[in-house]
Structures are given as structure tokens and as C-alpha cells.
Amino acid sequence: MSDPYASRTPVHEQVVDGFGTVRVLPLDPGADAAVIHRWVREERAAFWGMTELTEQQVGAVYAHMAALDTHHAHLVVRDGEPVALLQTYEPEADRVSECYDVRPGDIGVHLLLAPAGPGGGQPGWTARLVAVIAAYVLLGLDRRRVVVDPDVRNEKAIARFLGLGFAPGPVVVLPEIDLPDVYLPEKKAQLAFLDRELMFPG
């Protein structure tokens, strides 16, 4: 089967023994909107706040993000199959900066995993995928610490991050953002942090 993503240049590529080749591609709002729309409309993605959006609206959200210097979206592909949506951002340019003391070298991450395939989730699958993403964010982008801010009600995501070695931070309330191009409702979030030294000692 041919890889429909083969012609696209990754910002990070890594071969993981027994797992496959993982490539982190800059998101193409036009080409990737259908895949992302399929994921975000599912009930499990409710905390992304996009379940009611059309495919065109999802594309517009990411076209807007593509115009920003501080926020970036990526499609993570494993052996030619899309497996995750990765968003990175500069915390000082985000509302999260109002809720904690941003350190030099911090980078914010939002991660949405693709639905499990017909065989269901495989043990260790998420950990291996996140290790590749961490290598890109912490080593490839030369950052010191990752910050995540899942909704406090999203217990599954919080448990996943803590299980992967993130240290819990405070519970905070991210303020509402109401701009012409962006609307984000107030969000009660559990901050969590992952230090580069912990993930990649030495």
C-alpha cells in the first residue's frame, strides 16, 4: 500500500524498533481537515470543543493557526497512517501564561490520539508514540520542559500524562478568550509538566 504522506517533508522522523516509522508533519489545513474532523467530532474528543464543527470549519481553524508564529499544528503519521494531532505553542503567547510562571525553554503541547483501530488499544502503544513526540519537542526543538493543560474533567488524559512521567502541577482556571478569530470558553485545567532531564537523562 502506498503512503499518501510520503511526499511531505517531516519536521521529525524516527524509526522505533517493533513499532514503525513515525513522522511528524506540518499540518496541511486543506489536505488534513477530513482526518482531523473525523477525530474531533467523536464524543471522546469533546474536550477539544470541536464536535459541532463542519470539516470546512475545522480546516479554517487550522488555517488560522498556520498563520501564527507562536502556535503550530502537526499530523503525526506512523507507517503512512495518521495516528495523532499534535499542537505546540509558546506558553507566554497563550492564556496558560496567566496561570503559572513560564520558564525559559517551556513549550506547551496539546495532543489528540487517533481512535484505536479494529484491534483496540495495544499495550505500550501510546508510550512509544509519546516518546517520539517528546524527542521532537524537547530535543528537536531544544526545549527544557513540556507543559500540558487537560480539562480537569478529562480524567483519562490526565491519567495518561501522569503515567507517562509528567509531574502534576496546580489546577487552574484558564480565562475565556473572545477575539474576532478565536473564541475559547473558560476552562478549568490540570497543569502537568515533563522535564527534559527526566525523559532524556544525560
Side-chain angles (χ1 to χ4, degrees), residues 114-132:
Q122 299 170 344
W125 192 95
T126 300
R128 286 191 279 186
L129 185 67
V130 169
V132 173

Side-chain angles (χ1 to χ4, degrees), residues 15 17 19 29 38 51 53-54 64 79-80 86 108-110 117 119 136 145 147 151 157 171 189 191:
V15 179
D17 286 344
F19 188 66
R38 202 162 60 238
T51 49
L53 298 190
T54 65
H64 171 72
D79 291 342
L86 169 68
V109 163
H110 295 138
Y136 164 58
R145 186 171 69 155
V147 56
D151 191 296
V171 171
L191 298 188

Side-chain angles (χ1 to χ4, degrees), residues 6 17 37 47 62 64 77 93 96 109 111-112 117 129 136 138 161 167 172 185 188 195 200:
D17 286 344
H37 178 246
F47 295 110
Y62 287 102
H64 171 72
V77 177
V96 74
V109 163
L111 181 65
L112 177 64
L129 185 67
Y136 164 58
L138 291 169
F161 283 125
V172 299
K188 191 173 184 183
D195 289 310
F200 303 104

